[in-house]
Amino acid sequence: MAAPQRSGNYRGFVLLFILLGTLWEAWAGHILYSVSEETDKGSFVGDIAKDLGLEPRELAERGVRIVSRGRTQLFSLNPRSGSLVTADRIDREELCAQSPRCLVNFNILMEDKMNLYPIEVEIMDINDNAPRFLMEEINVKIMENTAPGLRFPLNEAGDPDVGTNSLQRYQLSPNRHFSLVVQSGDDGTKFPELVLERVLDREEERVHHLVLTASDGGDPPRSGTARIQVTVVDVNDHAPVFSLPQYQVTVPENVPVGTKLLTVNAIDLDEGVNGEVTYSFRKITPKLLQIFHLNSLTGELSTLEGLDYEESGFHEMEVQAQDGPGSLTKAKVLITILDVNDNAPEVTVTSLSSTIPEDKPPGTVIALFYLQDRDSGKNGEVTCTIPENLPFKLERSIDNYYRLITAKNLDREKLSVYNITLKATDGGTPPLSTETHISMHVADTNDNPPTFPHSSYSVYFPENNPRGASIFLVTAQDPDSDENAQVTYSLVEDTIQGAPVSSYVSVNSDTGVLYALRSFDYEQFQNLQLIVTASDSGDPPLSSNVSLSLFVLDQNDNAPEILYPALPTDGSTGVELAPRSAEPGYLVTKVVAVDRDSGQNAWLSYRLLKASEPGLFVVGLHTGEVRTARALLDRDVLKQSLVVAVQDHGQPLLSATVTLTVAVADSIPEVLADLGNLEPSAGPYNSGLTLYLVVAVAVVSCVFLAFVMVLLVLRLGCWHKSHLLQASGGVLAGVPPSNFVGVDGVQAFLQTYSHEVSLTADSRKSHLIFPQPNYADTLISQQSCEKSDSLLTSIDFHKCKDEASSIQVSSGLPLFP
């Protein structure tokens, strides 16, 4: 290619085409631009941003870029101006040879939507190439007896430009013997022929030197020259003649190098040197000279390099045969290349989203790729497939572009990475295929809330737990990833007995460990209801709740409490009576106890721990009833001391004891007679006052009879004093009652008696009580005793020494130390 010759007119011509390149047309979705070849790098081609309806800044924001089909990138985008510009100098002849119209096709990809916009740029020709002869020197041999008017073919010149810029005329340098005639072929090619105008004389001039000039029609025009050397030879009667005017051969493209394709053959009827024929190429391109070889002696045409159908499927050339004196003839050689399926399909991934959020709807474009096969026919027909078990499908776009789109909703929790194999297969025999592997990661979205294994939990922990103790662990799983799977725990605000639930328990926000903030007492709290929330860190966050039922387990931390007989608050000791006539199994009294614990910790059992007379009394294991084990005998002492133990069934075992004093007698006088022999049952009351108490009881017994008689006389004689007696009873009602008012145990057994006497050693007054009748199986509490006292009178025994009366006295005789 001749170096470009630039001038002022040429620059104007280039500028004109640059201006024309700004014109564009759009039809059927195509955008057409034009630009002149050989323009500088960065030359304006078209306003692509405007034609796509975008602002220049949006080109980068929306990922607009050029995708080409394996060709060197000729154009680029200017992100500032939004224009399409040349990426380098463009040589039209290199791209399109001598095609009448040179179109460069590529696509504009908009990444955000993966849309393709086809672009066509027409490369306008400029006169940047001068005509050029294959050989700079042409040798012609003419016999001296040749008649004028005979024509001799010359090698034509070639010009890769097209249109008016291509070869237009030939011119021969002035001379006396020759002229020039130009012939035109069917394809418009011009062939120069040298015409003999005058007879040659070898003795006058053996060699003639001429100059042949070829010119194009450009502005300014370009030209090329070749030197013609005409040699005058002796007479040669016959010129070589080819066996065929045109030789044709069809060969597959995969023939080995050096393969003989055909043999051209020319015959010269002359003898000797005049009949010796040599072969040579007459019209051939420089590129074909590197592919084919013509044996000058045999005329065999063979290959120097491998043939490639994809580069060219057809070759045309001219060969000539010349004898010794210089007579020559020409013939055409046509070589057709058959396509062989020697090219596997090519997959060019134009755009790829290696990561796609799992919440993208079906139809989302993942990849855009281009399929091509350099073979032709069925060998170039390409089909593309992907495995059927994937949630994707292929969709054809423009040209041979395909989209890989989602066919179903994706779920990262089921599969986070897809390895997709694109298999492109052609239609050849045997078929060739190419596999392209695409790895696509599914990005997580917060579409799964944390979940607990169960909707509710029942938690059991013992009472008396230390503060801050861990009592349970809740765990929620979130199948999402990263921040979407980071779970935090919290308590739902609520109140329990007027206090917030957070004052009872707390939960570790990271681990889900539940802590007790106080020591729980089963007797106060048996269960607590609360709700724990598990929330992830997604945007927006998702959460779920779980219900917790906290049950406090009872521990044996309370000993049994004895309700009856209770220890008197006034320091007295109760005595239970058992008549000597009692049969075995007679109910003497009943020990009543409770335990604040629950379950087996509150299961109570009673047993006789100690007795002054073993075998005389038994205690019910579960009822606490004290009964006679045998009939009472005269030899049995009046006072019987029993120690009853009440025990629960917890771990460890806890127990309580009570001491009972049982008086064995058939009548009250017998009790009073033998009262001096009684001792208090409680150890703390055994002191030095016992002797005085016994003497005092004996004296009081005597005085009591006189007191009763005096009381009756005074009541009959002094009726008006009854009001005073009632007033004194009201004063005594304010005195704190004891747990045993009188000798309650005796009263339980003596139904016929209706009076009760209480004697104290440290008071000058004794109590005379007239209660309601009681029954043997009735347990008398402190409150029932207080309510049943219909008349309570306090009398000074010193004023009633002379009165005596026979009265019935209840058998409950409390003793006071």
Side-chain angles (χ1 to χ4, degrees):
M1 182 186 299
Q5 299 177 1
R6 302 187 181 274
S7 64
N9 292 334
Y10 172 71
R11 293 190 184 94
F13 182 77
V14 172
L15 292 175
L16 175 62
F17 274 102
I18 292 176
L19 292 176
L20 290 176
T22 62
L23 300 177
W24 64 276
E25 300 178 43
W27 72 93
H30 285 67
I31 299 177
L32 174 62
Y33 298 105
S34 60
V35 65
S36 298
E37 65 171 331
E38 298 296 340
T39 56
D40 293 333
K41 179 181 178 180
S43 297
F44 176 83
V45 177
D47 193 347
I48 194 69
K50 179 181 178 182
D51 297 337
L52 293 177
L54 303 175
E55 295 294 330
R57 58 179 176 78
E58 292 185 278
L59 295 181
E61 294 175 359
R62 304 187 66 172
V64 177
R65 61 186 178 89
I66 296 175
V67 290
S68 58
R69 305 169 188 172
R71 187 189 297 271
T72 303
Q73 193 69 268
L74 302 177
F75 304 96
S76 63
L77 294 176
N78 188 325
R80 292 185 178 180
S81 63
S83 302
L84 182 68
V85 297
T86 57
D88 207 340
R89 286 185 177 274
I90 301 174
D91 187 353
R92 182 190 183 281
E93 290 71 38
E94 182 180 351
L95 293 175
C96 305
Q98 288 187 297
S99 299
R101 195 177 186 193
C102 184
L103 294 176
V104 177
N105 297 294
F106 57 90
N107 294 284
I108 295 292
L109 173 65
M110 198 174 293
E111 283 276 6
D112 59 345
K113 296 183 178 180
M114 287 197 181
N115 288 336
L116 286 171
Y117 299 90
I119 307 293
E120 285 186 353
V121 179
E122 182 176 4
I123 309 300
M124 308 301 294
D125 183 50
I126 63 172
N127 192 25
D128 57 339
N129 293 283
R132 184 178 180 183
F133 289 94
L134 182 61
M135 293 177 289
E136 295 182 358
E137 185 172 333
I138 302 173
N139 294 315
V140 179
K141 295 180 178 181
I142 302 176
M143 292 185 299
E144 59 179 342
N145 60 348
T146 301
L150 187 62
R151 298 182 179 187
F152 300 90
L154 300 176
N155 292 338
E156 67 268 20
D159 192 334
D161 293 327
V162 296
T164 58
N165 295 326
S166 64
L167 178 65
Q168 298 296 321
R169 61 184 180 274
Y170 289 97
Q171 185 177 358
L172 186 63
S173 59
N175 64 92
R176 294 181 301 119
H177 295 88
F178 302 96
S179 64
L180 188 67
V181 174
V182 179
Q183 301 289 339
S184 296
D186 296 336
D187 57 356
T189 304
K190 294 178 172 58
F191 302 100
E193 292 181 348
L194 188 64
V195 181
L196 181 61
E197 296 292 341
R198 296 178 62 180
V199 177
L200 300 176
D201 187 355
R202 184 173 183 273
E203 287 72 18
E204 180 182 350
E205 189 174 1
R206 299 180 60 182
V207 178
H208 297 267
H209 296 279
L210 306 173
V211 176
L212 179 62
T213 302
S215 303
D216 59 25
D219 184 16
R222 292 176 175 268
S223 62
T225 60
R227 298 186 303 272
I228 301 175
Q229 180 176 306
V230 179
T231 303
V232 181
V233 295
D234 288 335
V235 176
N236 185 15
D237 296 330
H238 300 90
V241 177
F242 280 102
S243 58
L244 295 172
Q246 181 174 289
Y247 294 87
Q248 295 183 1
V249 64
T250 300
V251 295
E253 62 176 326
N254 60 348
V255 295
V257 176
T259 299
K260 174 185 174 181
L261 302 180
L262 57 83
T263 300
V264 294
N265 184 33
I267 299 175
D268 194 323
L269 298 178
D270 293 325
E271 296 181 356
V273 177
N274 294 336
E276 293 178 357
V277 179
T278 58
Y279 304 94
S280 62
F281 288 112
R282 173 178 173 82
K283 180 183 178 181
I284 191 171
T285 62
K287 187 173 184 180
L288 293 181
L289 283 174
Q290 299 177 358
I291 300 176
F292 300 102
H293 170 68
L294 180 62
N295 190 308
S296 61
L297 299 178
T298 64
E300 291 182 355
L301 184 66
S302 60
T303 58
L304 294 174
E305 295 181 356
L307 302 179
D308 192 351
Y309 171 86
E310 289 68 42
E311 290 188 3
S312 178
F314 178 78
H315 299 291
E316 180 180 353
M317 63 193 74
E318 286 186 1
V319 296
Q320 66 182 12
Q322 187 174 9
D323 58 17
S327 296
L328 55 86
T329 187
K330 62 180 181 179
K332 280 188 177 182
V333 176
L334 304 178
I335 302 174
T336 301
I337 310 299
L338 294 180
D339 183 40
V340 176
N341 192 25
D342 59 343
N343 292 282
E346 297 178 5
V347 179
T348 303
V349 179
T350 303
S351 181
L352 173 64
S353 298
S354 58
T355 301
I356 180 173
E358 61 178 325
D359 59 351
K360 286 294 184 179
T364 300
V365 180
I366 299 171
L368 182 69
F369 57 93
Y370 179 73
L371 297 181
Q372 64 178 353
D373 193 317
R374 298 180 62 194
D375 296 323
S376 63
K378 289 187 176 181
N379 296 333
E381 295 177 359
V382 183
T383 58
C384 187
T385 59
I386 60 174
E388 295 181 355
N389 59 344
L390 296 178
F392 307 102
K393 65 180 181 180
L394 295 174
E395 183 181 84
R396 186 159 188 171
S397 182
I398 62 173
D399 298 334
N400 285 330
Y401 280 95
Y402 286 81
R403 291 189 180 100
L404 179 64
I405 63 176
T406 56
K408 301 178 183 178
N409 290 316
L410 303 179
D411 190 350
R412 190 205 66 85
E413 288 68 43
K414 291 183 179 179
L415 191 60
S416 60
V417 179
Y418 289 93
N419 293 312
I420 307 168
T421 300
L422 301 174
K423 186 175 182 180
T425 307
D426 61 25
T429 304
L432 300 179
S433 61
T434 300
E435 291 186 352
T436 301
H437 301 280
I438 296 176
S439 180
M440 193 203 68
H441 296 262
V442 181
D444 183 51
T445 57
N446 194 26
D447 57 343
N448 291 284
T451 56
F452 293 93
H454 305 283
S455 60
S456 62
Y457 292 93
S458 296
V459 182
Y460 299 88
F461 63 96
E463 64 174 331
N464 303 321
N465 57 283
R467 294 182 179 180
S470 170
I471 58 177
F472 193 62
L473 171 66
V474 291
T475 302
Q477 300 294 331
D478 194 320
D480 294 324
S481 64
D482 300 330
E483 293 182 354
N484 297 329
Q486 294 179 0
V487 181
T488 57
Y489 303 90
S490 61
L491 293 175
V492 175
E493 290 297 330
D494 197 3
T495 56
I496 300 177
Q497 296 185 358
V501 68
S502 57
S503 64
Y504 293 91
V505 293
S506 67
V507 62
N508 188 300
S509 61
D510 296 325
T511 63
V513 177
L514 202 66
Y515 296 96
L517 299 182
R518 61 172 63 183
S519 179
F520 288 92
D521 187 352
Y522 175 83
E523 287 69 39
Q524 294 182 358
F525 289 98
Q526 280 76 43
N527 64 83
L528 292 87
Q529 303 293 329
L530 54 91
I531 297 176
V532 176
T533 299
S535 303
D536 58 29
S537 301
D539 185 19
L542 301 178
S543 63
S544 61
N545 296 334
V546 65
S547 175
L548 295 182
S549 297
L550 306 184
F551 295 96
V552 181
L553 297 179
D554 183 47
Q555 287 186 316
N556 195 27
D557 58 342
N558 292 284
E561 295 181 13
I562 298 176
L563 299 181
Y564 183 86
L567 293 178
T569 58
D570 56 359
S572 63
T573 301
V575 176
E576 306 292 343
L577 288 184
R580 290 187 179 273
S581 60
E583 297 294 331
Y586 179 82
L587 178 63
V588 178
T589 187
K590 182 176 182 179
V591 178
V592 179
V594 295
D595 195 315
R596 296 176 60 192
D597 296 322
S598 65
Q600 66 178 9
N601 295 330
W603 295 350
L604 301 180
S605 60
Y606 304 82
R607 62 188 178 92
L608 187 60
L609 186 63
K610 181 180 179 183
S612 58
E613 178 101 20
L616 181 57
F617 298 96
V618 294
V619 178
L621 178 64
H622 301 295
T623 62
E625 295 177 346
V626 180
R627 297 179 181 270
T628 57
R630 59 176 174 80
L632 298 177
L633 305 177
D634 294 338
R635 58 183 175 83
D636 292 330
V637 298
L638 173 65
K639 174 194 171 187
Q640 296 290 335
S641 180
L642 305 177
V643 179
V644 177
V646 183
Q647 179 179 284
D648 59 25
H649 289 73
Q651 289 294 334
L653 297 175
L654 298 180
S655 63
T657 60
V658 63
T659 301
L660 299 177
T661 301
V662 180
V664 180
D666 288 326
S667 62
I668 293 301
E670 184 180 354
V671 174
L672 296 177
D674 297 335
L675 194 59
N677 298 326
L678 296 176
E679 295 182 1
S681 60
Y685 300 103
N686 293 333
S687 63
L689 295 178
T690 302
L691 178 61
Y692 297 100
L693 288 175
V694 173
V695 175
V697 169
V699 173
V700 170
S701 299
C702 296
V703 175
F704 180 72
L705 297 175
F707 164 73
V708 174
M709 296 300 296
V710 173
L711 180 60
L712 294 175
V713 174
L714 290 176
R715 284 201 174 187
L716 294 175
C718 305
W719 185 256
H720 67 279
K721 294 183 180 180
S722 62
H723 297 286
L724 297 176
L725 293 175
Q726 294 178 0
S728 63
V731 173
L732 292 175
V735 179
S738 65
N739 290 333
F740 295 96
V741 181
V743 186
D744 295 335
V746 177
Q747 183 181 6
F749 294 102
L750 300 179
Q751 300 180 8
T752 58
Y753 295 105
S754 60
H755 302 88
E756 181 176 336
V757 176
S758 297
L759 303 177
T760 61
D762 56 350
S763 174
R764 295 182 180 182
K765 295 183 179 181
S766 297
H767 295 170
L768 177 63
I769 302 173
F770 300 92
Q772 297 291 336
N774 298 311
Y775 297 94
D777 58 347
T778 302
L779 297 178
I780 303 174
S781 65
Q782 177 180 345
Q783 294 180 354
S784 64
C785 292
E786 292 177 357
K787 293 180 180 180
S788 64
D789 293 342
S790 60
L791 179 62
L792 180 62
T793 306
S794 177
I795 301 176
D796 192 343
F797 282 93
H798 294 285
K799 295 181 180 181
C800 303
K801 293 180 181 180
D802 298 332
E803 298 182 3
S805 175
S806 297
I807 62 173
Q808 293 178 343
V809 182
S810 67
S811 60
L813 300 176
L815 303 178
F816 298 90

